[in-house]
Amino acid sequence: MPEGHTIHAIAGRIEHAFGGTRPEVSSPQGRFAESAALLQGRELVSASAAGKHLTSSSPGTPSSTSTSA
């Protein structure tokens, strides 16, 4: 499992690369298809980290938090 500082660095890279855009969201294996469909077409406002939790936010969507594995 990545350490917290790694998750913070990844959050920064995600926000820098995708912040203010509407990235394509998919679930190649279908495991997270419902969640991907909820995010598809939404603007990524920010990505941040708290410990080992990565959080992203989009207008009109509650913050989604996932623990890294």
Side-chain angles (χ1 to χ4, degrees), residues 14-23 42-46 57:
I14 290 171
E15 187 165 341
H16 179 75
F18 299 107
T21 69
R22 296 176 186 273
R42 296 195 181 265
E43 177 186 6
L44 177 71
V45 174
S46 66
S57 64

Side-chain angles (χ1 to χ4, degrees), residues 40-66:
Q40 179 61 34
R42 296 195 181 265
E43 177 186 6
L44 177 71
V45 174
S46 66
S48 59
K52 292 186 179 184
H53 299 277
L54 177 62
T55 304
S56 64
S57 64
S58 296
T61 304
S63 293
S64 59
T65 305
S66 62

